Amino acid sequence: MKLKSLLTSAALAAGLATGAAAQDTTTVGFVYVGPVGDGGWTYQHDQGRLAVEAAYGDKVETIFQENVPEGPDSERVMTQMALAGADIIFTTSFGYMDATNAVAARFPDVKFEHATGYKREHPNVATYDARFYEGRAVIGTIAGHMTETNKIGYIASFPIPEVIQGINSSFLHAQKVNPDVEMSVVWVYTWFDPAKEADAANALINNGVDVIMQHTDSTAPQAAAQAANEAGGRVFTFGQASDMSNFAPSPRIASIIDDWAPYYVKRVGMVMDGTWESGHSWGGMPEGEVVIGPITEEVPAAVKAEAEAMIAAITDGSYHPFTGPIMKQDGSVFLAEGEVATDVQLVTMDFYVQGMTGEIPQ
Amino acid sequence: MMDLSSINPVVLVASLMVAATPILLAAIGELIVEKSGVLNLGVEGMMITGAICGFIIAVESGSPVIGFFAAALGAALLSSIFGFLTLVLLSNQVATGLALTLFGLGLSALMGQGYIGIKAPTTSPLNFGVLGDIPLIGRILFSHDWMVYLSLALIAGTWAFLKFTRAGLVLRAVGESHDAAHALGYKVIRIRLLAIMFGGACAGLGGAYLSLVRVPQWTEGMTAGAGWIALAIVVFASWKPWRVLLGAYLFGGITVLQLNLQAAGATIPVELLSMSPYIITILVLVIISADRRRAALSAPADLGKPFHATS
C-alpha cells in the first residue's frame, strides 16, 4: 500500500496522473499518533480502517501512516496523503488540530476529519469525537467499589478538556458509591510511552493506589499492575481505548472500548455518494461508539449489576453522567440540582470537580 | 500541606535504577562507538530490535538470561549492517544511522506481530543473602536484578578499558586520527566495526531491559525515544563513562521522582516537574563540562568522518 501511494505521488509530481477523481475507487487516508500495534487507541482506529475496507471492498483503498508526531510533521504527512490522491483523511489525535485545518485550506477537494478536536475552519473539515466520559462514569463506579485503600490513580496524558472530562466523570461516580475515595492524577505528557506509563503506574502503586485508570494508549500500566499483583499486591486496572483482554480477569476488570467502525463506514459512504458535509459528531454509548468491555468475575455481582444498569441508563438516554448538583473544585456551582451539562460546557471543561486534590496544569 | 510520607525512599531508589538502566546501557555502548570515531544515530533502532529479540527468545526459552544474550546478539547483527555500509561502502554516517533507526522500528514491529500481550518470564532480583538484610543500605544496594549490576560493571569496565589498557588507547587513537592510526598499522575498519557491534550489543541489552524488566511486555515502538536520550547523554557527558552514569541516573531518577511526587500529591506545578528530568540533567552535565577547552579535547577529533585507507 505504501509503495503504491509513493508511486502515485511520484506520478502526480511528474504530471502524468489523470487524477484520482477519475478512478472509481475512493482513497481513504488515516494518520495515526502511535503504532497500529499499541493495543489501545491507534489499534482501535485501525480496526475502524479495516471495517471500511470490509464494508466497501474494491471500491475503497485505504492508506495510513503510523507514529506521526503531533505538530509540523503531521502537516507533511497529510499533504503527502492529499497529493497521493486521498479523497478523505482521518487525523486521529487531538494535536493534529491546526495541521489538519492548515492542510485542508490547501486541498479544498479533499475531505478532512479530525478526531477529538473542535476547529472546523474550512467547509471540508469535520470533527468527530466519542463520549468517553460515559464509559468513565461506569468504570468510576466500579473503581469506587473495588478500592480498599480508597485511593484511585489516574494516568493522564495532556491537560485538555477530553482528559479532564474523563477524570471528573470517573471521580464523581467513584465518590458517589464511596465518599472516602481520593484520586491521584499523574500527568505524563505523552499519549504513548510504555516505559513512562509503567513508571507512572508503579509510582501510583507505591503510593498506595489500588485501582488505576489510564488515559494513555499502551498496555504498559496493565503489565505493571500485573507484576505488582504477582509480588503479592492487589491492584486493578481498566482497559483503555481497546479491550486489553490479555490482562483479564485481573488486573484488568473492565474496559472502555472505542469503536470507530460505524462512524468511519458511514462517513466514507457519504464521500462516495457525495452527501458528505462538515460538522461535528459526538457519539457515545447510544451510537455504539463507546462500549464497556466484559466485566470480569473479580468484580462482585452486585457491583457488576450496578455498572450494567448505568450502561443501560446512559444508552437509553435516561441518565447523563454530568447531572447536577455538581460543584467545581473551588466550591462554586457547576450544575444546579437536576441540571444536565451542555456539550459546550463539556468541551470547554478546564476545572476539577469538588473533592479532587491537586491542580490542573495550565 | 505536602504529605510525602507515602514515598518510600527504598522503593524509589529501586525504581530509579530500573528507569535509568536502559538509557545507561545504550549510552555506554554509544560512547565506545563514538570514541572510535563513528557516529551511529541508530541507537533507537538497535534498542528496539534488542527489545523484541530479547522478548521473543526469553518467551520461547523461558529464560530471561538467554533472552538478554539474544538481544545483544540481534542488535549487534543489526549494527554490523551499519558498520558494513559506513565503513566498507563509505556511506554517510548520519543518514545511515537515521535509516538504521527507521529500519529497526519497522523490523521489530514485524518480528513482534505474534508477541503482543504475552507475558515475559520474570527477572528476579539477585539474592545476596545476609547483605540484603542490612537495614536500608541492604535494600538499596543489594536488591536489584543482575542486569543492573552488569550495567554498572560495564561503566567501570569501559572506564578502565579506555584509561588503562593498550586496546583502549588504540581505540581512542583511531577515533582521534584514523589516518595516523592507519599509518601505525592499526586496522581502523576492523576496530571500528568491533566498536559498532559492541555499541549495538549494549543498545540491545538496554532495549531488552525495557521489554523484559521495566515495562515488562512487548509493545511496538516501546523505546519511545530512549535511544535519542542516550545519544544526548553521551555528548553532554563529554564522552566520559562516569558522567554517562551520572547523566543516566539523574535522568532516570528525576523522571521517576517527579512521577512519584505527582502521585503523592506534591504541590509543585506539574509543568515544572515534567520538564525537570531534561533541565536538571542538561544543567548538571553542562556545568561539570563547563571548561570548553577540555570538553573539546574529549570529543574524538575524527568523529563522524569517513575513512578510506588509500587517501
Side-chain angles (χ1 to χ4, degrees), chain A residues 187 192 199 206-207 219, chain B residues 6 11 214 217 220 262 271:
Chain A
W187 297 93
F192 177 82
D199 289 345
N206 294 342
N207 279 283
T219 51
Chain B
S6 57
V11 177
R214 186 169 170 204
Q217 63 169 355
E220 272 179 38
Q262 285 197 46
E271 303 89 319

Side-chain angles (χ1 to χ4, degrees), chain A residues 41 94 116-118 128-140 154 156-174 183 185 187 191 213-215 240 256 280-284 290 320-323 326 334-335 341-353 356 360:
Chain A
W41 175 260
F94 180 79
T116 72
Y118 53 82
Y128 62 104
D129 201 347
R131 297 178 186 269
F132 307 117
Y133 66 83
E134 296 180 346
R136 296 281 173 198
V138 177
I139 66 169
Y154 204 108
S157 45
F158 296 95
I160 57 173
E162 179 199 338
V163 176
I164 296 167
Q165 287 159 23
I167 295 172
N168 283 336
S169 177
S170 45
F171 177 70
L172 281 171
H173 291 84
M183 187 172 269
V185 182
W187 297 93
W191 290 113
M213 301 183 190
Q214 62 179 104
H215 203 136
Q240 164 66 13
I256 303 178
H280 180 70
S281 158
W282 204 10
V290 176
H320 190 292
F322 286 101
T323 303
I326 298 176
F334 171 49
L335 296 171
T342 64
D343 284 358
V344 173
Q345 280 176 310
L346 292 175
V347 297
T348 55
M349 189 176 276
D350 58 355
F351 55 85
Y352 281 150
V353 292
M356 285 289 298
I360 300 173

Side-chain angles (χ1 to χ4, degrees), chain B residues 142-160:
Chain B
F142 302 109
S143 67
H144 308 291
D145 56 82
W146 64 279
M147 279 302 293
V148 168
Y149 300 106
L150 178 72
S151 66
L152 295 174
L154 267 173
I155 292 284
T158 304
W159 168 75

